[in-house]
Amino acid sequence: MFDELKKKSLKSSLLGTIILLIAGVALTVFLGAKAFSAAFGYTTFEDLAPDKIRPGQLVEANVTVNFGMCIEEYEYQESAPKYTQKTTSLYYVIWTGDENSTDTRYMAIKVPVKYRSQMDEMLENTAAGYYSDPISFLGEIKKLDEEELRYFKEFFVYDDGTEGFTEAEYEQMTLPYYINVYASPASMNAVFLIGFAGGVVCLVIGILRIVKAATGGYLKKLRQDIVNAGYSESYVESDYASATSITKNGSIKVGRLLTYYSSGATMRAFANKDIVWAYQSTTTHRTNGIKTGTSYSSILYLRGQKSAVTLAMPNEATTQEFLKRVGDMFPWAVVGYSEDLRRLFFKEYQQFLDLRFNTMDHNPVEADGFNNPQ
């Protein structure tokens, strides 16, 4: 019994475990370097040689020169009676390294529009041959997409025949990258750190789920249910072996002593002698007022428990067959729902018990099993 249930719990937990492990690996791999930079500091952009610059790096750039704006990014906003255009970001051409570097390349930096005046003033100083006071930016190096790269190239290679870079000069003296400046570095750092920590948590939980399933940890509550019911495990073994499966996958089985069911990967059971009331619950699901489906479940209230046990059922026929079996095998249980029964159960509990539970012999009645569980 327990070996079989261990395999079932392992199988039931497999999908969730795989999802957790994939999410954990993805988050830790994708955010690992960024989380490290967020925790211990960004790389100084000026210290990177051109061949060491690559997408995904988090850098702190202290910009003292720029050579002009190559791209203006904007969005349209609808306002009566016409659309208006709002600039959101600006791409300026900068170079790698600093004034002491011997190997430099041109690339771009994408800054929020609030930096326009400072960057334009810096451009004037650059044209006059002066370095400006550095503006510190924190951001991520990204690769220019096809459209961005087209505008970037047009900044250097002119189509009208006037003087500019040749194709060879352009290829030799530029990098197809830009620094995407963060409007709020603190917020981005929090995203990287929390995301990375979430990935680690997913990995740990996924591994623990595998260990728990492999060692029978998901059967711990079942063993306690058996103890609470007053039975020994050896006695329950034979009851489980002869129990009838209600569902095709055996997630719900009814024995003479116990009803066995799975709650996710966790296996549970309750004593049939404690069933007080059982009835069907039907839920209609709607999206925007349109019916999208119906779900069915069996609700069972047990002696000494305030919360009901809810068993999800695949369809209404299976629900009705299950409740019929409960009514036939366990005559001390009230089966079916009405508002009068509900009022009596919650307001006059002892009177409810006197309907059947306190007046019937608690010996299971033999019943025909399900030949075709749905």
Side-chain angles (χ1 to χ4, degrees):
M1 166 186 171
F2 288 102
D3 287 341
E4 177 186 341
L5 291 177
K6 185 189 295 185
K7 292 178 182 178
K8 283 187 176 182
S9 65
L10 181 60
K11 184 177 180 180
S12 298
S13 66
L14 192 58
L15 178 60
T17 300
I18 291 174
I19 292 174
L20 283 169
L21 292 176
I22 291 175
V25 170
L27 287 170
T28 53
V29 170
F30 181 71
L31 296 178
K34 292 181 172 63
F36 182 87
S37 295
F40 300 103
Y42 288 21
T43 300
T44 301
F45 175 68
E46 291 74 26
D47 292 342
L48 293 173
D51 60 347
K52 300 298 182 182
I53 296 174
R54 60 185 184 276
Q57 291 173 305
L58 299 188
V59 296
E60 179 179 3
N62 297 290
V63 181
T64 58
V65 298
N66 80 74
F67 303 93
M69 183 175 63
C70 59
I71 305 172
E72 182 174 353
E73 188 174 75
Y74 55 85
E75 62 182 19
Y76 285 111
Q77 293 183 327
E78 184 177 2
S79 58
K82 61 182 180 179
Y83 286 97
T84 59
Q85 179 178 310
K86 179 183 178 182
T87 300
T88 56
S89 301
L90 307 169
Y91 294 68
Y92 285 87
V93 175
I94 61 174
W95 61 10
T96 63
D98 55 25
E99 60 268 24
N100 299 317
S101 300
T102 57
D103 184 12
T104 63
R105 300 286 193 280
Y106 293 103
M107 55 181 285
I109 185 168
K110 178 182 178 181
V111 301
V113 71
K114 67 180 181 180
Y115 289 101
R116 183 196 290 269
S117 61
Q118 291 174 270
M119 296 297 284
D120 287 348
E121 182 180 349
M122 181 184 294
L123 173 61
E124 293 178 4
N125 292 336
T126 301
Y130 299 109
Y131 288 98
S132 300
D133 292 334
I135 304 176
S136 182
F137 296 108
L138 296 175
E140 178 184 353
I141 294 177
K142 290 191 172 184
K143 189 172 184 177
L144 293 164
D145 64 26
E146 184 176 348
E147 184 178 15
E148 292 168 335
L149 190 59
R150 176 167 59 86
Y151 287 118
F152 179 72
K153 183 176 181 179
E154 288 175 357
F155 184 87
F156 297 96
V157 181
Y158 307 148
D159 293 333
D160 59 4
T162 58
E163 185 177 355
F165 282 10
T166 64
E167 289 284 346
E169 289 172 334
Y170 170 77
E171 294 295 335
Q172 182 181 4
M173 299 179 65
T174 65
L175 294 175
Y177 305 134
Y178 69 97
I179 301 173
N180 182 40
V181 172
Y182 293 144
S184 176
S187 298
M188 293 305 301
N189 288 344
V191 170
F192 298 145
L193 292 170
I194 292 173
F196 179 75
V200 173
V201 170
C202 287
L203 285 174
V204 171
I205 293 176
I207 293 171
L208 290 178
R209 282 169 64 93
I210 293 175
V211 173
K212 185 176 181 180
T215 58
Y218 287 110
L219 304 182
K220 184 176 180 180
K221 289 186 176 181
L222 173 63
R223 294 181 185 275
Q224 188 59 51
D225 290 336
I226 294 171
V227 172
N228 294 340
Y231 302 120
S232 66
E233 291 186 4
S234 59
Y235 194 42
V236 168
E237 290 266 4
S238 60
D239 182 65
Y240 181 84
S242 61
T244 299
S245 291
I246 304 302
T247 53
K248 285 183 177 180
N249 62 2
S251 60
I252 302 174
K253 299 183 72 172
V254 178
R256 287 172 52 84
L257 302 179
L258 300 173
T259 293
Y260 309 86
Y261 65 98
S262 61
S263 177
T266 302
M267 310 306 297
R268 301 298 303 271
F270 57 80
N272 296 326
K273 64 184 179 182
D274 291 332
I275 301 174
V276 174
W277 185 22
Y279 60 87
Q280 174 178 314
S281 175
T282 304
T283 303
T284 300
H285 305 281
R286 297 182 182 276
T287 301
N288 298 325
I290 301 174
K291 182 178 178 181
T292 56
T294 304
S295 58
Y296 301 93
S297 58
S298 295
I299 309 298
L300 298 102
Y301 283 94
L302 309 176
R303 175 179 54 182
Q305 297 186 18
K306 293 182 179 180
S307 300
V309 174
T310 300
L311 302 181
M313 296 288 176
N315 51 51
E316 186 172 20
T318 303
T319 309
Q320 288 296 312
E321 288 290 339
F322 170 73
L323 292 174
K324 182 178 185 302
R325 186 171 187 82
V326 170
D328 290 345
M329 285 191 68
F330 318 121
W332 56 87
V334 174
V335 177
Y337 180 88
S338 71
E339 285 299 321
D340 288 339
L341 286 173
R342 178 178 178 81
R343 281 193 294 269
L344 191 64
F345 183 87
F346 288 104
K347 293 185 177 181
E348 300 293 342
Y349 184 63
Q350 288 302 318
Q351 290 186 27
F352 190 97
L353 293 181
D354 289 340
L355 293 177
R356 282 187 166 277
F357 194 84
N358 290 339
T359 59
M360 302 290 292
D361 185 17
H362 284 224
N363 288 320
V365 177
E366 293 296 338
D368 293 334
F370 291 114
N371 294 320
N372 296 295
Q374 302 297 311

